[in-house]
Each structure stands twice: as structure tokens, then as C-alpha cells.
Amino acid sequence: MHQRAFFAAATFCLLYPAFACAETEWPQFRGPDGQGNVEQDAPLEWSEDSGVVWKTAIPGRGWSSPVVEGDRIWMTSAIERAADPEDLKERTKGSPTANAMALAAEVSLRVVCVDRKTGEVLHDEEVLHVEKPDPIHSLNSYASPTPVVEDGRLYCHFGCYGTVCLDTSDLSKIWEREFPNDHFVGPGSSPVLCDDLLVLTCDGGYKQYVVAVNKETGKTVWKKDRPPIRATNPDFRKSYCTPLVIEENGEKQIVIPGAQWIIAYAPEDGRAIWTFDHGAGFSLVPRPVVDDTHIYCCTGFIKANLLAIRRGGSGDVTKSHIEWYHGKQVPTQPSPILYDGRLFIVSDNGIGQCLDAETGEVIWKKRLAGNYSASPLLVGDRVYFFSREGTATVVDANSPKGDVVATSELDGGYMATPAVVDGQLIVRTETHLYAIGE
């Protein structure tokens, strides 16, 4: 690993002891630290004919990322029975996204487990069954939130259709809950663990709230409504961001961007430690990233900005803690990456950028192949970008011009963010799961 990258990784673990920096597991969306930072090596180039240890077809459809515990890879999936096109037309009448919607007559929500050594499917089990589910966006799936795995338990969130805790030894159901929501375009936010809490973002069109449940029992510990939102159109009030747990002066905070507001919650009781009014943005997807001085958040649709908010505030920090914002070619789906004082982003339509994290100044900008939903990864001093068309582009993070180190192609497109375990890339495409590496 590059010496500076090693130092940055070691410093990160010291700054944020809330995160378990495990080298052999990938417990949640974007890995152990939740920010896509990989503390080991990974393959540089691959193809359908080279570098593939195994390739396994995954039943159904789902954009949840793979999570790994030991030799087991877990993900969720949905098997759909197609609905009548006329039913879709009627149920999406008047919606601004009607032409981009899809509908199932019924859907089987499932958990899939794959052996990490062989690629064999060990489990493909239905955990929830939904009759007449709501329409979803054609770029979404009914199984998009990434599960969380720890100590023999798997926590799966399917938005308003249900949240379940499973025993990974036999897939028995430990507890099950439902949290009403109106996603409009389908579920998106992934669950997060914070000590003994499982935290869920429920930002729908008509209801917006955050709930924390006891991870052992599923019982609600606290539930907090979001602050009032100026927008009256419910389509502009929804959001899909995954929380990020950080530490500030030895105390944990759960940072959750949503429509109009970015809020840091106290884990013990859900009180708002600080709030930031980012404007009229909605449908936020990118997960925040942090360094020791700032929190970096994207603001979603209408006007996508990347904000640098100074850490350590309390109350309303909208005017007092904004450091800078960047408003050109900011992603509405892929999350940012931080490395050595620089921020890396890729817009949905493939414009990659590197920004100075302290000032927001653009260091380089270039077009990358394809369109993007999956979030990038930082492996050592290289940034990996994964397109919906199946192209992976690796960029030298130290290069002042964003030099491309390698590009690789797979048959299926990337919607899910890959995992890295023991030097292997665990890659989920639209149809298959791959182990890439030695």
C-alpha cells in the first residue's frame, strides 16, 4: 500500500473508534467505516475471461450491496410477478416520474447467501411476501437497501414492506417490524447499527421520521419526526440517504441528510444535536463522508450541491458552519470518497472530479465511461468507479490530472457497490455475483 495511504488509514482508525476496522469482513453499505475506504489490496484489472475466481447467478433482482461475515456473503433480492401495464399507467397517473416507473403485481422479498470460497448459493429464502406493492422507479428495485451483518445476525430492511432480524445459522426470524412510509419510487435507505441500536431513515412523501430500535428485540427506543419542510409537494419531501455514525469529542452522532435538512442525532435519545438547512433539495441518496474537520454532504435533486460543513456545532449551524459548496456535476446517487485532503465524486452521467477538501477548488475534472449509481471505493491510493454499463475505471488518487490506471469490463452493469474482502472484489451486477482476484 502507498505509504501516505497507509498513514491516512491508520489515522482514520484513531480518529473514529466508533468504527470496527475489520480486515476480513464487510458488514454494511460502503464497508467497515461506511465511507468506502479499503485497508487492503484489491485486483486492478479483470474481465469475464480473466481474474474471475467464480461467477454465480443471483435469483431475482436487487441493488443491495453484498455484505460479508466470515465465509458467507449476504444480500437481498426480489422476485417479481409482472403487473398489467394498464395498472401501472393508472397508478402513476399525474406523477412527474410516471414514464420511469415500474410495477409488480406481487413480490417475494428474499435473502440470498453465497459461499465466499466456492460461489455456491447456500440460501435463497423468502422473508417477506408483498401483494400489490407500490410502483418503483425503473432504476430502483424492491430490494435496494443493503443489509447489516454482525455476530451471526442479519438485519434486512425493505422500506415500508418490513424490517427483519435473522439468525444467520438457520435464517430463523428473530424479530420483524413494519414502519409505514410512502417512498413514491421504492425503498432506498440502508439500515445502520450504532451500539445496541438499529437506525432506520423513513423519509417518505407524506411522513418523514427517523426511528431507532433495539437490535436484540426490534422494540422502538426512540422515534423523531423530521423538522418542518417548506416544500408542499410530497414528491419534494422524500429522501433515501443512509445514516453515518461519527464521533465528536468522544460522543457519537448519527448524521442523516434528508429533504431540506441535514441533522445529527444523539444515539441515546434521538435529540437533534445540530441541524443544517441545505435548501430545497430532495431525494438525497449519497451517504456523507467525514474527516477530522468537516462533514461533506450532497443535497439531492433540484440543485445538487456538495457541501462542506464544519464539525463541532450545536443548534442551527446553517450560517455559522458552512465552509464551502460546489454546485457543478454533483452526484445524486453515488457517494463521495475522501483521500489525503481531496474529495472524489462522479456525477450520475459520468463526470468525475477531484476537489480540494479544504477549499472546494476543483483539482481535475474528466469524463468517465458510462453512467453511475454505485458508489466508488478507495483502495490504497486508487479510486475505483463502477458504471451502470459494467465498466470499472481505476484512477490514481495522487495524480494531479486524474490519470486512469486501468479499466475493466463485465457483462452486467453495476448498481450495487462492491465489497473488498481478503484482497478479493465481491461484485454484484444486475444478474450475477463475482469473486474477482486470486
Side-chain angles (χ1 to χ4, degrees), residues 27-217:
Q28 62 169 328
F29 176 57
R30 303 203 81 195
D33 70 350
Q35 301 182 73
N37 297 304
V38 179
E39 297 183 40
Q40 52 188 292
D41 202 4
L44 187 59
E45 293 181 274
W46 60 88
S47 70
E48 292 287 342
D49 301 318
S50 175
V52 175
V53 179
W54 49 256
K55 174 183 178 181
T56 300
I58 301 300
R61 198 168 74 103
W63 306 151
S64 65
S65 298
V67 294
V68 182
E69 182 187 38
D71 288 331
R72 300 291 182 262
I73 303 169
W74 299 90
M75 69 208 83
T76 57
S77 188
I79 294 179
E80 306 168 24
R81 182 169 67 83
D84 188 324
E86 289 302 315
D87 189 15
L88 172 63
K89 184 177 179 180
E90 179 64 27
R91 293 177 64 182
T92 58
K93 186 182 297 182
S95 168
T97 56
N99 292 333
M101 301 299 285
L103 179 66
E106 61 179 318
V107 60
S108 172
L109 299 173
R110 312 180 72 82
V111 165
V112 179
C113 177
V114 174
D115 186 291
R116 187 159 66 89
K117 293 181 179 179
T118 65
E120 177 188 359
V121 175
L122 302 176
H123 298 286
D124 173 20
E125 303 289 340
E126 179 179 276
V127 293
L128 297 169
H129 192 90
V130 183
E131 300 284 345
K132 296 183 178 179
D134 293 331
I136 59 172
H137 197 281
S138 57
L139 279 178
N140 202 4
S141 76
Y142 288 102
S144 288
T146 297
V148 177
V149 64
E150 65 150 13
D151 300 330
R153 290 195 170 191
L154 185 72
Y155 306 89
C156 301
H157 181 56
F158 297 94
C160 64
Y161 303 116
T163 305
V164 297
C165 173
L166 304 173
D167 186 321
T168 57
S169 65
D170 57 7
L171 285 191
S172 59
K173 196 174 290 185
I174 298 171
W175 55 259
E176 176 182 342
R177 292 288 307 274
E178 284 190 9
F179 300 96
N181 203 350
D182 34 28
H183 303 294
F184 282 29
V185 294
S189 175
S190 299
V192 169
L193 285 174
C194 181
D195 297 328
D196 293 331
L197 301 176
L198 184 73
V199 182
L200 306 170
T201 306
C202 304
D203 283 341
Y206 295 101
K207 298 177 182 179
Q208 304 86 36
Y209 61 95
V210 176
V211 62
V213 303
N214 183 292
K215 69 178 185 179
E216 302 292 337
T217 65

Side-chain angles (χ1 to χ4, degrees), residues 243-271:
L244 183 70
V245 180
I246 68 171
E247 282 199 3
E248 194 69 60
N249 297 323
E251 300 290 333
K252 292 181 183 178
Q253 301 181 358
I254 308 169
V255 180
I256 314 179
Q260 186 180 325
W261 296 98
I262 302 167
I263 305 171
Y265 296 89
E268 59 270 20
D269 55 12
R271 74 184 186 279

Side-chain angles (χ1 to χ4, degrees), residues 355-383:
L355 283 69
D356 185 302
E358 187 67 26
T359 65
E361 178 184 354
V362 177
I363 297 172
W364 57 256
K365 178 190 291 188
K366 67 192 310 174
R367 177 168 291 281
L368 304 176
N371 299 281
Y372 291 80
S373 292
S375 294
L377 299 176
L378 175 69
V379 182
D381 57 356
R382 294 167 177 164
V383 183

Side-chain angles (χ1 to χ4, degrees), residues 261 274-279 309 315-322:
W261 296 98
W274 57 261
T275 63
F276 186 98
D277 186 340
H278 63 75
I309 302 169
D316 187 343
V317 300
T318 306
K319 295 181 179 179
S320 60
H321 281 60
I322 181 67

